[in-house]
Amino acid sequence: MSYRKTPTPEQRAAAQAKRAELIARTRPLQSARKAGLLPWAELPTINACLELIYTSETGQTEWKTFLGWKEAGYGVVKGEKGFPIWGRPIERKDGGTDERGLEFFPVSNLFHAGQVVDADGN
């Protein structure tokens, strides 16, 4: 039986801190895109910009979400930390957008090929 438990105050605080960090990291990217400093053809989304940054930081080139790696037949090594990106927008609980007309964008995580193992543990 699957159920969703309520997060603890510590878990909420940690999630809010990660979200604030991602917002701070993407703010300059959004400004650069609006100013035309980032090419739309190569970097069509903010997540594409983030992936490029993570690639330059780690040297890794293959990125997937936890479920993406699972579908590909790999498992993420226990204890590995993901690299935050924006998830698909979802409708707010109140059924619409906020006062600025924005939907809710959840935080998701990417993992690189160095953080996963196949079924044989390789």
Side-chain angles (χ1 to χ4, degrees), residues 20-96:
E21 182 181 323
L22 185 57
I23 289 169
R25 190 156 208 181
T26 58
R27 194 165 278 138
L29 296 172
Q30 290 170 332
S31 297
R33 291 195 68 198
K34 286 179 184 174
L37 300 174
L38 296 175
W40 281 94
E42 292 86 22
L43 301 169
T45 64
I46 293 296
N47 282 345
C49 297
L50 288 170
E51 189 175 329
L52 183 64
I53 291 169
Y54 297 149
T55 295
S56 69
E57 290 175 354
T58 64
Q60 296 289 331
T61 57
E62 191 171 2
W63 298 88
K64 296 180 195 272
T65 63
F66 180 86
L67 290 176
W69 283 114
K70 189 173 179 181
E71 289 171 358
Y74 294 87
V76 175
V77 175
K78 186 173 184 172
E80 289 289 343
K81 302 292 183 198
F83 292 79
I85 60 166
W86 293 109
R88 290 188 180 119
I90 57 175
E91 191 173 295
R92 292 182 167 272
K93 290 182 182 179
D94 59 12

